[in-house]
Amino acid sequence: MSSRILYVNLSERSSRVVDRPDLFSKYLGGSGITSKLLLEEVRPGIDPFSPETPIIFATGYMTGVFPCVVKAIAMFKSPLTKNLGESHSGGHFASALRFAGYGALVIHGASEHPIIIKIIDDEVKIELADSLWGLSPLDVEKALRECSYEGMQSVISCGKAGENLVYYSNVIVDRFHHFGRLGLGAIFGSKKLKAISILGRKGIPLENPLVVKDMYEKLHHKVVTSDEMSKYHNLGTSANMLELNELGALPTRNFKESRFKDAERISGETMAESLLRRKISCPGCPIACIHLAELKTSFAPEHERGKKEIFYEEVLVPYNYEAMYALGNNLLIKDKRDLILLIYRCESLGLDAMMMGTVLAWVTEAFEEGRITLDETLGIKPTWGDSEAYIKIIDNTVEMKNKFYAKLAQGVVAASEKYGGREYAMALGNNGMAGYITGYGAILGPLVGARHSHLSNSGYSVDQKIMNQPISIEQIVDFLIDQEDWLYVLYSLGVCYFARRIYSKEVVCEALKALGIDKTQDELMKMGKEIFHNLYKFKVREGFELSEQTIPKRIFEVQTPHGKLEFEKIKSMIDSYIKKREKEGLHLKPEEKALKELLK
Amino acid sequence: MRFHIEVVHPERCIGCYSCVYACSRHLFNVIDPSKVAVFVRVNGTLANPFTIMACRFCKNPECALVCPRGALQPLPEGGITLIASKCEGCKTFDCINACMIRALALDKTTNFPIICDRCGDCAKYCPHNVFKYEEMK
């Protein structure tokens, strides 16, 4: 694995390579590297849109070598949370970066004119790209995709949402994948960085080829035959919808209810029967969890000079459970085409579907309550299940058509702080919630997770483990701590979250041994914990205080499979979590002095 | 073991590159999408189906016919074998450009063409039956 970090400076239009064997031998790759670089490269208190704010990418230590090891990690200062920004993406990016001979990529500075970064192995160019500005990331992918007969190329791009600095805009990776959630798209936009193209033509040498081949064979067999992965291959995460509906854990009508009576009309099963056209993988993974729906939209009716319409345009839209919940059942959208249309709108604009859905749900309820009126919405009546109105609201938000829409572009918490309705602004740590009201784990997980994601520590999964048992605070807290620490090990290696059950501690030690790295399970856990500590150091430095985090009141009003959740229980879980983490030597409260500096 | 290998269902390709990685592992003990005898090619955008190319084991392959030194020997079962001594030092690389489906890649470290040795690993690791393969008797 290369320990070379490519630094690109957009202000100076320059690049240089720094070799950091110290960093890579300690943290291996991925999130380990980015967590350390975050502390090194990001100036305390910096404005996320400042030219000095860096974007840090790293590929995984095992990327490209073993099955399902495909991920790249991005870290930055999030405009949405004004704190840690962390996004993980599949696609070709991690592999192309590795094949180009780098372990990490750090981007500093900003450009006055729209530009792209074009990397071909050691050759790095910053090229003017006015012609791409304003294009959907999908059109950018088509423009920049080369017909190369060697190596592997990745194209990543922000959309109009990123250009306009929407706080939850994303970066589309190789058309169907995302650096999502916390606003990397806006960081790109603030730097006038439209896209990055990386072509990597070098190889990954195998020092112990026989051992590696043997390990690959074993892992490949596990991956393609085990039940663990079959879900992702068959329906993908869209299988969650009916499962959660059955449980009574499916967020509906802005988390007011936990079952959707029309769930079957937009379920993963329905999609698979009617709209699913193809599936696609990340290079290095044989599962193909990315499910692509075909959206057929007709041209104008009079296309053929007054004759009946026979031409359609078809687009492929990646759909997964989170996008389906946020733009589907949570908005009472019951038409499957409407749902795909809404997802496609977000994809075309480079907008995080989860947060956009959260915003739309809040808008609908706030309008119902009269907190916002047609004056704010510019004549659009947000209505549950009305995809046409929602599309107009999405467009207006990206265009920031007025003060209200500009506020929506800052996220649901910002919007509710101005217009009210904070109790149903469904965000934790300022990040839009994921589609689970399974119990305490689903709430606590994203709250304590470093990047406030349900994937930080799989909190939602512990709720199902402890069904029909008395809730043990210790059990939940221990699970969240162990999971997050261990996941940061996987994220340093580039392992996909979906393969987490394949890549157990035992398997990871064996896989690393095959690559010449001798680490015990304890040593790995220690590394994972240290990565988490690095990230929390950053968070606290930037003003985050876990004990001050708010949970929207709606959470305590909705029915879950564990009954209604109690605030006191969550409070004691947070207290227990803080105590356990502090025992590890982590300081969770910002220093008085540092806090005052940030508030100046 | 040697195999008859044929690309029969390229439309089923999911772009996992398992075949490509298996090939470079087998031939060169590396993971390298450039050092292979089987190719997953993107057609302008990932929205389009992939193009999968591999040696078709032609009986009278154009790669062998155009070689000015006769370094590529056609085999009775189709395909070619490389006579390295005749190939050494060639700077023309006519063979690479001659293959109409571009199934011959150049090994940039040795300047030899990369020849499929019918190991069958590409087909073995494909999760979607893109290849048809059977053992040669």
Side-chain angles (χ1 to χ4, degrees):
Chain A
M1 165 75 161
S2 171
S3 52
R4 298 165 80 230
I5 303 177
L6 174 62
Y7 281 84
V8 179
N9 192 311
L10 302 179
S11 306
E12 294 164 12
R13 294 279 208 271
S14 67
S15 69
R16 64 194 164 98
V17 174
V18 176
D19 197 12
R20 290 290 300 272
D22 59 307
L23 202 58
F24 283 82
S25 66
K26 180 162 194 203
Y27 291 110
L28 299 179
S31 54
I33 303 301
T34 55
S35 73
K36 201 69 199 345
L37 289 177
L38 198 70
L39 290 168
E40 286 180 10
E41 300 282 346
V42 180
R43 189 166 51 78
I46 201 168
D47 178 350
F49 294 149
S50 154
E52 288 171 50
T53 213
I55 305 171
I56 302 160
F57 295 104
T59 186
Y61 181 80
M62 299 196 312
T63 294
V65 180
F66 292 125
C68 310
V69 189
V70 304
K71 294 277 187 163
I73 312 295
M75 286 194 185
F76 48 98
K77 186 154 179 193
S78 163
L80 184 63
T81 63
K82 299 293 186 286
N83 206 298
L84 172 68
E86 178 182 339
S87 295
H88 302 185
S89 180
H92 296 205
F93 190 75
S95 305
L97 186 63
R98 182 153 194 190
F99 289 135
Y102 306 106
L105 166 65
V106 181
I107 301 168
H108 282 287
S111 169
E112 276 176 33
H113 299 280
I115 42 140
I116 65 163
I117 301 174
K118 192 167 170 185
I119 301 167
I120 303 174
D121 294 341
D122 298 308
E123 181 188 279
V124 181
K125 292 199 230 164
I126 296 164
E127 298 183 328
L128 295 172
D130 269 75
S131 60
L132 297 179
W133 201 250
L135 284 187
S136 102
L138 308 178
D139 287 337
V140 173
E141 192 258 343
K142 286 186 177 176
L144 297 182
R145 183 72 58 190
E146 309 254 357
C147 284
S148 178
Y149 287 92
E150 47 183 355
M152 182 174 290
Q153 185 195 16
S154 174
V155 177
I156 76 177
S157 170
C158 70
K160 201 133 204 3
E163 292 174 12
N164 291 356
L165 310 184
V166 175
Y167 285 11
Y168 42 97
S169 52
N170 60 21
V171 170
I172 303 287
V173 175
D174 298 307
R175 198 170 193 86
F176 301 122
H177 311 264
H178 316 78
F179 280 118
R181 315 293 270 114
L182 295 173
L184 182 60
I187 309 287
F188 268 51
S190 72
K191 297 181 180 304
K192 289 268 185 323
L193 173 63
K194 181 63 179 175
I196 304 176
S197 163
I198 305 186
L199 174 63
R201 301 175 305 186
K202 305 180 190 182
I204 304 169
L206 301 176
E207 273 160 35
N208 304 309
L210 291 174
V211 182
V212 173
K213 284 178 193 176
D214 206 48
M215 188 79 216
Y216 183 93
E217 172 81 44
K218 261 183 20 202
L219 286 166
H220 179 91
H221 180 79
K222 263 206 174 101
V223 167
V224 300
T225 59
S226 84
D227 287 334
E228 311 287 10
M229 302 299 296
S230 63
K231 159 186 173 170
Y232 299 116
H233 172 76
N234 292 338
L235 292 178
T237 58
S238 67
N240 286 353
M241 185 171 294
L242 289 186
E243 277 175 29
L244 289 167
N245 201 40
E246 183 72 37
L247 277 175
L250 187 72
T252 301
R253 203 200 158 284
N254 200 23
F255 285 78
K256 197 150 191 192
E257 288 143 36
S258 40
R259 276 202 172 94
F260 183 43
K261 64 176 174 61
D262 291 307
E264 282 186 351
R265 291 180 61 177
I266 57 166
S267 69
E269 287 79 353
T270 297
M271 293 300 185
E273 278 167 31
S274 53
L275 295 180
L276 175 62
R277 164 95 172 276
R278 272 175 64 207
K279 295 188 289 183
I280 195 166
S281 254
C282 301
C285 176
I287 293 300
C289 72
I290 305 294
H291 287 62
L292 301 174
E294 180 177 275
L295 184 67
K296 263 162 95 163
T297 56
S298 59
F299 293 169
E302 296 297 301
H303 176 72
E304 283 239 348
R305 281 170 267 171
K307 292 192 206 150
K308 191 171 180 280
E309 180 56 64
I310 58 165
F311 280 106
Y312 293 86
E313 54 182 323
E314 5 167 281
V315 288
L316 291 175
V317 183
Y319 65 92
N320 65 83
Y321 172 65
E322 300 302 334
M324 289 164 76
Y325 118 79
L327 298 169
N329 38 288
N330 204 36
L331 299 177
L332 301 187
I333 294 284
K334 54 191 181 191
D335 181 283
K336 61 190 182 221
R337 275 194 83 257
D338 284 351
L339 173 55
I340 297 297
L341 205 71
L342 282 164
I343 297 175
Y344 183 56
R345 197 44 152 233
C346 290
E347 297 296 302
S348 310
L349 293 166
L351 202 51
D352 185 77
M354 289 169 76
M355 183 49 127
M356 192 68 242
T358 308
V359 168
L360 292 173
W362 173 85
V363 166
T364 315
E365 197 161 344
F367 188 87
E368 263 180 354
E369 286 194 345
R371 292 183 188 274
I372 54 174
T373 67
L374 293 174
D375 280 340
E376 275 81 30
T377 66
L378 296 174
I380 302 165
K381 186 162 179 278
T383 317
W384 299 111
D386 182 355
S387 64
E388 262 182 60
Y390 287 141
I391 296 226
K392 291 194 187 117
I393 295 171
I394 291 173
D395 288 348
N396 285 354
T397 302
V398 171
E399 294 300 320
M400 301 190 194
K401 273 262 150 65
N402 65 2
K403 279 211 176 89
F404 168 70
Y405 283 111
K407 212 24 119 162
L408 290 190
Q410 293 180 355
V412 76
V413 172
S416 66
E417 276 173 355
K418 175 151 187 211
Y419 296 97
R422 180 70 184 87
E423 0 20 303
Y424 49 81
M426 306 311 289
L428 295 168
N430 264 36
N431 197 13
M433 280 183 67
Y436 307 84
I437 6 181
T438 48
Y440 289 97
I443 308 306
L444 198 64
L447 200 64
V448 304
R451 72 187 199 273
H452 303 297
S453 164
H454 59 300
L455 303 177
S456 287
N457 42 40
S458 325
Y460 60 95
S461 72
V462 77
D463 291 328
Q464 275 157 273
K465 279 195 177 74
I466 61 173
M467 276 303 287
N468 307 318
Q469 293 170 44
I471 309 290
S472 155
I473 292 173
E474 298 311 306
Q475 205 176 352
I476 295 184
V477 169
D478 284 339
F479 177 85
L480 295 178
I481 290 177
D482 288 339
Q483 265 284 88
E484 187 150 13
D485 291 350
W486 174 246
L487 283 172
Y488 274 121
V489 176
L490 295 186
Y491 297 149
S492 297
L493 305 176
V495 176
C496 175
Y497 177 80
F498 288 168
R500 64 199 180 283
R501 294 197 192 94
I502 305 275
Y503 284 89
S504 63
K505 293 188 179 132
E506 202 184 326
V507 167
V508 167
C509 285
E510 215 187 319
L512 284 174
K513 196 130 188 264
L515 297 175
I517 299 274
D518 219 330
K519 287 214 196 267
T520 64
Q521 290 184 22
D522 281 341
E523 283 171 326
L524 287 176
M525 275 305 282
K526 202 160 157 260
M527 182 184 84
K529 200 174 280 289
E530 193 171 328
I531 295 169
F532 179 85
H533 282 211
N534 285 348
L535 294 174
Y536 243 83
K537 271 197 197 98
F538 179 83
K539 286 170 74 78
V540 169
R541 189 189 84 182
E542 300 299 311
F544 180 78
E545 223 182 305
L546 182 54
S547 51
E548 298 295 301
Q549 292 304 296
T550 48
I551 302 168
K553 246 216 212 126
R554 176 61 51 85
I555 291 297
F556 306 106
E557 293 165 0
V558 69
Q559 202 63 233
T560 82
H562 288 271
K564 285 199 181 160
L565 303 182
E566 293 164 37
F567 175 73
E568 285 311 314
K569 274 218 172 80
I570 289 202
K571 185 135 199 326
S572 39
M573 285 172 191
I574 297 173
D575 287 339
S576 170
Y577 184 90
I578 290 175
K579 279 200 185 77
K580 289 202 181 201
R581 283 295 193 188
E582 280 181 342
K583 265 213 194 102
E584 294 172 5
L586 190 65
H587 298 292
L588 285 132
K589 281 195 177 311
E591 297 286 343
E592 281 295 337
K593 197 173 77 179
L595 196 60
K596 282 206 185 89
E597 292 230 347
L598 286 168
L599 294 174
K600 253 201 292 211
Chain B
M1 277 203 287
R2 299 175 78 224
F3 291 86
H4 288 299
I5 308 162
E6 208 185 323
V7 177
V8 291
H9 285 295
E11 74 284 357
R12 292 184 189 171
C13 178
I14 54 174
C16 72
Y17 288 76
S18 297
C19 53
V20 171
Y21 290 177
C23 184
S24 69
R25 273 198 310 269
H26 168 79
L27 289 177
F28 297 102
N29 290 329
V30 296
I31 313 286
D32 190 338
S34 303
K35 280 181 115 170
V36 290
V38 62
F39 307 89
V40 173
R41 292 187 174 134
V42 184
N43 289 304
T45 161
L46 287 167
N48 288 338
F50 297 92
T51 292
I52 312 303
M53 285 303 177
C55 180
R56 298 193 63 224
F57 308 111
C58 314
K59 287 282 159 53
N60 280 310
E62 56 263 31
C63 57
L65 289 171
V66 304
C67 175
R69 301 157 173 226
L72 292 175
Q73 185 77 47
L75 295 167
E77 66 269 30
I80 44 167
T81 186
L82 178 73
I83 305 170
S85 53
K86 289 196 179 171
C87 178
E88 195 114 39
C90 170
K91 296 274 161 63
T92 351
F93 312 124
D94 289 336
C95 56
I96 307 294
N97 299 319
C99 176
M100 206 46 72
I101 59 169
R102 303 196 65 158
L104 211 54
L106 182 70
D107 179 351
K108 293 213 167 110
T109 42
T110 60
N111 275 345
F112 289 152
I114 300 173
I115 318 268
C116 173
D117 68 359
R118 292 183 181 270
C119 76
D121 278 2
C122 51
K124 181 174 150 195
Y125 282 106
C126 176
H128 260 220
N129 300 319
V130 168
F131 304 88
K132 181 174 91 169
Y133 74 127
E134 56 191 11
E135 210 183 326
M136 287 169 74
K137 300 295 190 287

